[in-house]
Amino acid sequence: MQEFDASSMIYAWDNYPEAQFPGLWAWFGERINAGLIRMSAVAFDEVDHKVPECSAWLRDANLERLPVSEAILLEAFRIKGLLGIVEDRFGSGVGENDLLIIATAKIHGHELVTDEKFQAALPRQMANYKIPAVCGMPTVGVPWINFIGYLKRSEAVFG
């Protein structure tokens, strides 16, 4: 089961318009209806703010939005501490919403689909880690994949 980050959903929407790729979006709809694709409420709100047409499509497709629970808040707080982020002094890496998105995937046992930048060479300060680096930390351990990797792995053919 996958949880989409706003970055991947917006990437898909911007690069694979529904009018030109109706098969892809029909497939997304099927996967959403089967409960295989979900989004944290936080990620959905980001999509809604940036690309309202995409969030309208997701609403119409009955996408399940995972609310922020106490367990998610506690996990986000734990990850924030692991990164050495004090108060609201975030670095150039993850922000508060990102921590909630990662924590949602962790608590629900989902793979996170994200198109945040992969950092081959990790920054010295962990506060500058992007989503893939945070997910890859042994103490976080959230599997992740980018949108193109997700499509390729599915082996779905859109004709």
Side-chain angles (χ1 to χ4, degrees):
M1 189 169 313
Q2 284 75 35
E3 177 186 322
F4 269 67
D5 179 21
S7 65
S8 286
M9 194 55 72
I10 292 170
Y11 174 87
W13 188 261
D14 287 347
N15 291 286
Y16 301 93
E18 183 185 11
Q20 292 177 274
F21 296 90
L24 170 67
W25 290 94
W27 179 74
F28 268 142
E30 291 167 7
R31 295 186 66 80
I32 288 169
N33 284 320
L36 299 173
I37 294 176
R38 298 175 178 170
M39 286 184 88
S40 71
V42 172
F44 181 86
D45 289 346
E46 286 183 11
V47 172
D48 193 40
H49 177 72
K50 294 176 183 175
V51 189
E53 307 83 30
C54 181
S55 65
W57 187 93
L58 293 168
R59 268 190 208 91
D60 291 345
N62 297 314
L63 174 76
E64 182 179 356
R65 290 167 269 175
L66 303 168
V68 176
S69 65
E70 184 177 348
I72 290 168
L73 287 171
L74 290 171
E75 180 61 16
F77 186 73
R78 184 186 77 84
I79 296 169
K80 183 178 178 181
L82 292 171
L83 296 172
I85 299 169
V86 179
E87 296 175 1
D88 288 335
R89 292 192 289 266
F90 291 90
S92 63
V94 293
E96 186 174 351
N97 283 356
D98 297 329
L99 293 176
L100 292 169
I101 291 164
I102 295 165
T104 301
K106 173 87 174 172
I107 294 299
H108 288 278
H110 295 161
E111 176 181 51
L112 185 61
V113 182
T114 182
D115 275 82
E116 288 257 334
K117 181 184 173 196
F118 173 73
Q119 299 163 300
L122 293 176
R124 288 180 194 228
Q125 290 188 328
M126 294 172 74
N128 294 330
Y129 280 19
K130 302 279 187 193
I131 289 176
V134 175
C135 288
M137 292 170 59
T139 51
V140 176
V142 172
W144 69 275
I145 191 167
N146 67 17
F147 179 75
I148 295 299
Y150 173 71
L151 279 183
K152 288 179 179 178
R153 186 181 65 197
S154 77
E155 298 182 353
V157 176
F158 311 102

